[in-house]
């Protein structure tokens, strides 16, 4: 697509990045066929092709409007369009710089500014967990519209990590500390540590590490996201640049993993951290990537139960797993589905559009509740048609979002595997 950058954008990193992406686009429209928001609204400007046109106009000098901003806001960031695009357009790179440029020129209403500021500050903060517990305690008293945004506390036993005195394995991995997951579902990290312990790997958490920065980055606070990345690199570096380095950095929330794998691009212009970021990215792994290599040890632990079967689950592959990390595809089973089947699980997928977005999208369910709920209800209907005993996924946002629309337990696949190992 021919693009003539306006003088104010011609020599900026954002302008150059936008031009590189725009030149790849042939405007064929295949992306619209798989875009969840376009399928809901039928509005060209709520699909990738229309949004690309809007951002092209902005970078060519046309002043954006509040309408421009709203159409960009409605993008979930699922990246399904990238899986569909025959030209390999990296739409998410254009959206990142396009939204930032639009937000610089279009002031949001004060309520919207306050909500977004609160999400950027609270979600990565140590105050998130106590604020969540307070909201859950008061949940029955809250107005219905507010109550829906406060996830109920799941009826699960207290999470228990492996005994540190016994888990002295030579093999070690770093486990992302994260931000919202320890408050919403601490059981996921505990299950991850127990599964690793069962195969002779110790999960280590750097005490001063924290949020990966995706929350800020997806809401236009690029500087905040960069600061989070630098902070984590500093916290992880003693475990990486060591005579006995960790063998991987495991992000058991696929959304965090997808963001962390782009950390080298985020810090590419930082002379102090660019090389370190590349080393970190080389170590980042979703546990689904490692699962195939764990199979021999897991089979040994599970014994005869591998042949007799471990039960059924219906798996929902998050967009961050399928379209960002390319670890699950509609055409063939990804490493998680294939490995769990090899271990003896009966793994089902939704009866239709199994790789379609559930509407969670990080903070999207809070910022765009109407569209998000419609997508969730569609996904729940397709999952429930499999008559699931348990729904499994790989991202905390999807897990909590889906659980809000069904009484069927929704868990991380690592929790389901941990339960099988514990029986």
């Amino acid at each position: 697509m021919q693009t003539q950058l306006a003088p104010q954008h011609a020599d900026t990193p954002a302008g150059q990045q936008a031009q590189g992406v725009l030149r790849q686009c042939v405007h064929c429209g295949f992306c619209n066929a798989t875009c969840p928001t376009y399928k809901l609204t039928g509005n060209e400007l709520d699909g990738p092709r229309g949004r690309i046109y809007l951002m092209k106009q902005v970078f060519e000098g046309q002043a954006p409007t509040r309408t421009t901003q709203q159409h960009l806001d409605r993008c979930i960031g699922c990246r399904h369009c990238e899986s569909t695009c025959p030209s390999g357009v990296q739409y998410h790179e254009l959206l990142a710089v396009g939204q930032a440029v639009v937000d610089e020129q279009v002031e949001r209403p004060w309520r919207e500014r306050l909500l977004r500021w609160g999400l950027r500050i609270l979600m990565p903060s140590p105050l998130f967990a106590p604020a969540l517990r307070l909201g859950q305690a008061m949940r029955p008293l809250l107005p219905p519209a507010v109550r829906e945004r406060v996830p109920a506390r799941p009826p699960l036993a207290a999470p228990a990590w492996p005994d540190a005195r016994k888990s002295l394995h030579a093999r070690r991995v770093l486990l992302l500390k994260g931000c919202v997951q320890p408050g919403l579902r601490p059981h996921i990290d505990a299950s991850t540590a127990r599964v690793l312990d069962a195969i002779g790997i110790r999960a280590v958490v750097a005490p001063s590490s924290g949020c990966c920065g995706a929350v800020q980055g997806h809401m236009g606070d690029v500087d905040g996201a960069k600061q989070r990345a630098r902070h984590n690199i500093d916290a992880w570096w003693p475990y990486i640049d060591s005579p006995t380095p960790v063998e991987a950095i495991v992000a058991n929330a696929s959304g965090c993993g997808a963001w962390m794998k782009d950390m080298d691009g985020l810090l590419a212009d930082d002379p102090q951290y660019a090389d370190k970021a590349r080393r970190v990215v080389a170590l980042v792994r979703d546990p689904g990537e490692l699962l195939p290599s764990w199979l021999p040890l897991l089979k040994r632990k599970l014994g005869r139960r591998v042949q007799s079967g471990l039960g059924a689950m219906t798996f929902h592959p998050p967009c961050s797993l399928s379209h960002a990390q390319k670890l699950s595809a509609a055409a063939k089973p990804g490493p998680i589905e294939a490995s769990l089947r090899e271990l003896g699980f009966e793994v089902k997928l939704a009866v239709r559009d199994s790789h379609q977005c559930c509407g969670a999208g990080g903070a999207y369910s809070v910022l765009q509740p109407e569209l998000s709920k419609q997508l969730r209800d569609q996904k729940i209907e397709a999952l429930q048609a499999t008559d699931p005993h348990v729904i499994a996924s790989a991202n905390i946002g999807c897990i909590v979002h889906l659980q809000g629309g069904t009484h069927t337990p929704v868990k991380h696949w690592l929790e389901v595997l941990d339960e099988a190992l514990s029986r």
Side-chain angles (χ1 to χ4, degrees), residues 185-253:
R185 288 287 184 93
H187 312 78
I188 295 173
D189 286 341
S191 289
T192 305
R194 286 197 297 267
V195 170
L196 289 165
D197 183 59
I199 58 173
I201 303 174
R202 182 156 47 112
V204 180
V205 177
S208 59
S209 62
C211 175
C212 68
V215 173
Q216 288 98 325
H218 291 316
M219 286 195 284
D221 183 10
V222 178
D223 289 338
K226 288 182 176 181
Q227 189 55 39
R228 291 281 177 187
R230 296 184 190 105
H231 177 84
N232 279 330
I233 289 173
D234 289 341
W236 294 330
W237 203 247
Y239 300 88
I240 298 170
D241 193 26
S242 159
T244 56
V246 293
E247 57 188 66
I249 301 173
V250 174
N252 56 18

Side-chain angles (χ1 to χ4, degrees), residues 2-24:
Q2 290 294 323
T3 306
Q4 297 296 324
L5 294 179
Q8 65 267 33
H9 299 300
D11 297 319
T12 66
Q16 292 301 313
Q17 186 168 1
Q19 188 171 48
V21 178
L22 287 166
R23 283 178 173 172
Q24 291 180 300

Side-chain angles (χ1 to χ4, degrees), residues 312-332:
M313 71 173 82
T314 299
F315 184 65
H316 165 64
C319 298
S320 47
L321 191 77
S322 303
H323 310 303
Q325 300 196 57
K326 308 297 183 187
L327 292 176
S328 185
K332 62 178 181 179

